[in-house]
Amino acid sequence: MRRAPALRAALVSAVALGMLTACSGDVASEEANYTGDYSSHPPLKVVGYPSTGSLGITQQVVWRIADGKADELASLTSDDRGEAVAEKTAKNWIDAFRKGAGGQVTAEFYDEGSYRQTVVLYLHGTGQIKEIHVRPVRLEGEDKEVWGVNMAEPDPGEATAVQPWVPKTPGERGSKMVP
């Protein structure tokens, strides 16, 4: 008689596990990709207060630049200015920052991170600084939001310009609001 509750519990557990794994193919694939990227790149140093989403997209931007993957970098765009602008921006970023992105990078997160963040990347090996803007966007035909990066710098000069407010070293302003 005591076997019935144990058998019922095992059966319920097996059904629940089956339902979870049947729905998690994409999640498992995304986790495997993230783990591979994370283990094959130097760790990103962080200053400020990123959200989970803003940190994740920032890591992906740095990794795609370091790997020279223009198509994958362009696919991270949050803009609706067209593929050509994102692709040209991705190429500019890779041409300008690939060497530095492959080494030690510090990302300083400004502003409140639940709906957008300004991120300043410090590429230590080359001494370069790159400001990016990340935000959540709703994918067409889907109910969920994903984080994307503003990629509207098709001019190489614009892609490498450093705004006057950007500190020369991480943490200099205390990761306060962008002026």
Side-chain angles (χ1 to χ4, degrees):
M1 290 287 237
R2 295 191 59 93
R3 288 183 141 179
L7 183 58
R8 189 174 324 129
L11 184 57
V12 168
S13 295
V15 169
L17 180 62
M19 288 173 62
L20 287 173
T21 57
C23 298
S24 66
D26 289 342
V27 173
S29 160
E30 287 176 21
E31 276 187 34
N33 290 341
Y34 179 83
T35 301
D37 277 334
Y38 189 85
S39 64
S40 63
H41 295 92
L44 184 68
K45 293 184 177 190
V46 175
V47 176
Y49 301 95
S51 69
T52 302
S54 65
L55 176 59
I57 190 67
T58 300
Q59 285 178 308
Q60 289 181 56
V61 167
V62 172
W63 295 339
R64 300 305 160 251
I65 292 171
D67 294 342
K69 295 183 175 179
D71 289 343
E72 290 181 28
L73 178 59
S75 75
L76 301 176
T77 189
S78 66
D79 299 308
D80 56 4
R81 294 184 178 128
E83 278 183 43
V85 172
E87 289 171 1
K88 181 63 178 153
T89 300
K91 184 179 179 324
N92 288 339
W93 288 4
I94 289 168
D95 289 347
F97 303 109
R98 186 173 185 183
K99 182 178 180 186
Q104 184 182 12
V105 178
T106 298
E108 184 165 12
F109 292 81
Y110 288 87
D111 302 321
E112 196 276 320
S114 64
Y115 65 99
R116 73 170 181 252
Q117 273 194 302
T118 297
V119 183
V120 178
L121 302 173
Y122 295 90
L123 308 155
H124 298 283
T126 60
Q128 294 172 296
I129 298 173
K130 175 67 186 146
E131 175 187 2
I132 63 172
H133 303 277
V134 298
R135 67 185 176 106
V137 292
R138 186 167 305 279
L139 296 177
E140 233 179 89
E142 294 194 30
D143 290 336
K144 68 178 182 174
E145 289 184 330
V146 298
W147 280 78
V149 61
N150 183 336
M151 296 188 70
E153 298 174 345
D155 177 77
E158 185 180 12
T160 57
V162 179
Q163 298 298 317
W165 73 268
V166 174
K168 301 297 180 223
T169 58
E172 192 175 303
R173 289 179 35 99
S175 301
K176 302 289 186 221
M177 299 289 288
V178 174

